[in-house]
Amino acid sequence: MTSMPPRTLLYSLPALGVGTAQVESLRSYIERLSLAHHRTARQVVSLVLAQQPTRATTEEAKYITQSWLVHSGSPGNLELLARLQAATGQQLGSMTLARFANAISLYKAFDQRSPGQARYCPLCFTEDLKTLELPYGRLLWELKGVDCCPIHKIKLQLSSGCWTNACSARLALQNRPRAVGVCPDCGSIGRKCDTASHTAADATDITIANRLSGLLALNEHECELINGDSVRKGIQSAIDRRFDGKVTAASRAAGIGTGTICSWFKHREKVGLTTLAQLSIAAGIDLSPMLKGEVIPAEGDIEPSTLRRRLGRSYIRRAASDHVAHEQLMSALTSEDAPSLSRTASAIGTTVEALSARFPELADSVVAKRKALLATRRLETYATSAREYMRARLSLIRKGKSVNAKTLQSESGLFCLDRSGARFKAMRDVLTNPSKFEPHD
Amino acid sequence: MTIETKLTPISSPSPVAEPKNGAKTAVTAEMQDALERFKQARVRHPALQATLKDLLLHIRSPDSENILVLTGVTGVGKTTANEALQTALYNEFREDIERNPGLLPVVTVEAGQSGDQKQGFKGLYRRMLTVMNEYDPDRGAAVIQKDGHLWLNAQARRTTEGMRNVLESALRHRQTKALVIDEASHLLSMARSAALMDTLKSLANTVGCKIVLIGSFDLLDIIVQSGQVCRRTNVFALQRYKDNTEDRAAFRFVVRRLMQAWPCETVPAFDAVSDELREVTFGAVGLLKTLLTNVLTQQLQAHGVFSPHMLQSAVKSPALRESIRLELERGEAKLASAAYGGGAWTDAAFAKMVEKMEG
């Protein structure tokens, strides 16, 4: 009998959007793959890493799926990529920026947020659902500085789930799916539960998104033409043509240090992706041809300060002006979300200490407002949980089952992971003193 | 008509090693190898080719007949047909397989009796997933998708429903065209026949692949019980060679092919007694091969020297043959009206129809 050659370890799911700016991110691919295999992402990554010749520990899989820092060209990421390619039989190189790692630095090129949060364009998800079973996350949405969808010209949504929007159908913790295109709270495919209105993107957002999306559309053959020399040649041509060869003028327009540009040539250091993007926008040239040493004009003009704020490195961003810092604090005070001081500071690229030193009273007010909001939320959680646990208690008594912490949690579907949290306190009170919650005549 | 084996006759053992008084020796590694080579010899005989052709036609067809049953008398060559089917499907999808290393066009599993009837469908699904290279099919979160929502059913071990979901996903993603269940009669121990066929029917419908059941005539009983199942089922019979000129010639051809694969220097003239062999084996190729394998074992033990008495002692006893004959007659009576190509009209009625159609 003719024997079949060995098959792949995992399903050979085709990579989506390859060769376009809408290319799928590796994170989204792993999540889709794991759902197809009816496993969690961590289980799939563990399985891939557990293959010979070198076995990785389960801790590595845990770290990968917690941080999702898989798109750079680090040795660990390259190893994961190679193993995933072998396990699926698919070419996945376009799903990360690792293909540029030889020529440019990817330091701080990605938008690093809490892994529970996802950025997405709801209109892209709606379009995906017309042809696909599950919408997918784009690599573009993972890049730092990209805040809008270049196709639909709307701001990307940032969400950790719909529960904060008072969605009633919240899944139990162990049943929540992990995929960019699915709400982790209610499991809505395409995050249809997110009813927030779409905000139109401004010209700055669109220019940055367009400039970086051109880079993602490069195919592997074109990427082979990119190396350190071609990048430096592109930078030199851009400075010569747009700034008459003046490095100072170029650095001022792009919002990057003169020394930074000089060190690219003098020490032949790798050029950072974000600084390259800043320079290309300031020079009004297309980023992807620039990497190949070519100069092609592109539309879009952004103020150097905005460029610094959106794409620049954090030590530059700390130099936010007093005016910007004051505005940010005032905005935090008037916002209903009451953001923390830490988030307020990071939004303008500065630190908590820097903000507190400049505007101590305003900073204290922001902290106080946040505390009050958290206290209110705790009370609400306590009341809601107590109500649910009382309902579960009654149900258990009717069924003739014993009421204890374990049965109460499984009956209500509310699990207490934090023993110092309001939910745990509510459960403890329901168990020890249920009469407190019973209605009085 | 081809034969799929390398014909490398082994030499008779040296005279030095030959024991006195023609005593038989224990089976050596060399003998085992020769026996194995003969067992691996596959003859693509006319009955097998015809059945395979019909079966492949239905596997390729996008019609709603999702369950294909391959049946025949014991020893007629169903397992060989299964292997030939796998080879044919592999050859058909060779380009796709080479282009996409994740593709698995045919999945074959044996519904063997494990003795643990509690396992039922879950056990069958597990075996299928194991064959499909699915790692640890018992563990993992089952993904449930319903009404535009998706959630995980994360239990310590997968339930039967969870395992079924995983199998559906695997068959869909591996783009499986045919799911072959050998010894399918054993499935009857898992559930009532109606429930069994409903389960298989829904699996085939959901995934869009054809399910090929290979087994004895018992399979016919479970199919005719439901109109729904009958509508989606077709029966293919692997016919034995009967007592007519054409079949006798075909059977002689099979005997000659097996003689070509005979791994000894002295090849007995089985073709001279092919009619007699056909009679004792009821024209079933599998039974013929068992008989000849038995003869070969004796010949190898006698250091390559053949004696006609070996044939006499290799034939099954009259009681066993009678039992096979009874089963065969009962099965063929059931099959007479159920098999593919049987037609619905009598010869006279059909001739009238042809006349009408031709105007």
Side-chain angles (χ1 to χ4, degrees), chain B residues 4 54-56 79 96 99 105 140 144 185 252 290 301 326:
Chain B
E4 297 169 352
D54 290 342
L55 204 54
L56 279 170
T79 307
D96 293 339
R99 204 170 40 241
I144 299 157
S185 315
R252 192 172 300 116
T290 310
Q301 283 180 333
L326 286 173

Side-chain angles (χ1 to χ4, degrees), chain A residues 320-338:
Chain A
S321 67
D322 283 356
H323 174 68
V324 171
H326 187 266
E327 263 194 358
Q328 190 66 24
L329 283 167
M330 289 305 290
S331 153
L333 272 175
T334 51
S335 165
E336 281 182 18
D337 291 346

Side-chain angles (χ1 to χ4, degrees), chain B residues 55-322:
Chain B
L55 204 54
L56 279 170
L57 190 76
H58 278 76
I59 289 173
R60 282 190 220 110
S61 160
D63 59 19
S64 60
E65 284 175 349
N66 290 334
I67 300 176
L68 310 174
V69 178
L70 175 63
T71 186
V73 295
T74 176
V76 80
K78 293 189 290 288
T79 307
T80 308
N82 180 13
E83 288 173 8
L85 178 69
Q86 285 179 57
T87 309
L89 282 171
Y90 170 65
N91 288 335
E92 186 157 334
F93 296 103
R94 185 186 290 271
E95 275 182 22
D96 293 339
I97 287 167
E98 281 163 8
R99 204 170 40 241
N100 182 353
L103 209 74
L104 208 57
V106 56
V107 173
T108 305
V109 69
E110 194 175 315
Q113 272 287 34
S114 63
D116 185 3
Q117 294 196 2
K118 278 184 206 164
Q119 285 293 308
F121 278 109
K122 193 175 176 182
L124 180 69
Y125 296 154
R126 184 187 296 115
R127 274 200 292 280
M128 287 175 182
L129 287 166
T130 309
V131 169
M132 295 181 80
N133 209 12
E134 186 71 16
Y135 172 77
D136 195 6
D138 270 311
R139 293 185 185 280
V143 176
I144 299 157
Q145 206 170 324
K146 204 175 175 184
D147 301 331
H149 284 72
L150 183 149
W151 65 94
L152 308 177
N153 189 1
Q155 294 186 349
R157 293 183 80 79
R158 279 178 178 148
T159 58
T160 307
E161 193 193 354
M163 199 88 91
R164 162 76 182 251
N165 288 340
V166 180
L167 177 66
E168 282 178 8
S169 178
L171 290 170
R172 212 176 291 128
H173 285 102
R174 296 284 189 190
Q175 296 177 38
T176 303
K177 309 285 181 211
L179 176 60
V180 183
I181 305 177
D182 201 3
E183 303 294 350
S185 315
H186 290 153
L187 293 177
L188 281 167
S189 64
M190 292 180 190
R192 286 179 298 108
S193 44
L196 169 72
M197 293 309 282
D198 279 345
T199 308
L200 294 177
K201 186 188 79 181
S202 82
L203 179 66
N205 282 350
T206 318
V207 178
C209 75
K210 305 271 178 170
I211 295 184
V212 183
L213 301 178
I214 299 178
S216 62
F217 291 121
D218 294 344
L219 283 174
L220 298 176
D221 295 333
I222 57 175
I223 291 156
V224 292
Q225 288 185 6
S226 157
Q228 271 289 319
V229 173
C230 287
R231 191 171 75 79
R232 293 171 192 281
T233 308
N234 220 328
V235 180
F236 301 86
L238 192 56
Q239 297 291 358
R240 65 193 176 96
Y241 292 103
K242 292 179 182 158
D243 192 10
N244 58 51
T245 321
E246 202 179 321
D247 279 11
R248 275 199 296 270
F251 195 78
R252 192 172 300 116
F253 163 78
V254 177
V255 172
R256 282 185 182 145
R257 285 293 189 187
L258 288 173
M259 282 166 66
Q260 283 179 10
W262 201 255
C264 288
E265 277 176 3
T266 314
V267 183
F270 293 122
D271 54 343
V273 290
S274 75
D275 284 350
E276 287 79 358
L277 290 174
R278 190 190 53 74
E279 211 169 296
V280 291
T281 57
F282 306 102
V285 176
L287 287 179
L288 170 73
K289 203 167 167 196
T290 310
L291 171 70
L292 296 186
T293 308
N294 212 333
V295 174
L296 177 63
T297 313
Q298 294 179 58
Q299 190 180 345
L300 288 169
Q301 283 180 333
H303 304 281
V305 180
F306 174 75
S307 154
H309 294 291
M310 290 174 181
L311 198 56
Q312 179 74 314
S313 59
V315 175
K316 288 199 185 296
S317 67
L320 289 178
R321 277 192 289 131
E322 182 59 15

Side-chain angles (χ1 to χ4, degrees), chain A residues 254-276:
Chain A
I256 47 182
T258 313
T260 307
I261 298 179
C262 292
S263 68
W264 292 341
F265 293 100
K266 196 174 175 185
H267 305 297
R268 303 186 70 76
E269 282 178 358
K270 273 190 189 174
V271 183
L273 175 66
T274 50
T275 37
L276 262 178

Side-chain angles (χ1 to χ4, degrees), chain A residues 408-426:
Chain A
L408 210 54
Q409 288 184 70
S410 64
E411 182 71 18
S412 63
L414 294 180
F415 292 86
C416 306
L417 300 178
D418 179 9
R419 293 176 75 86
S420 59
R423 187 183 285 176
F424 183 80
K425 201 176 165 195

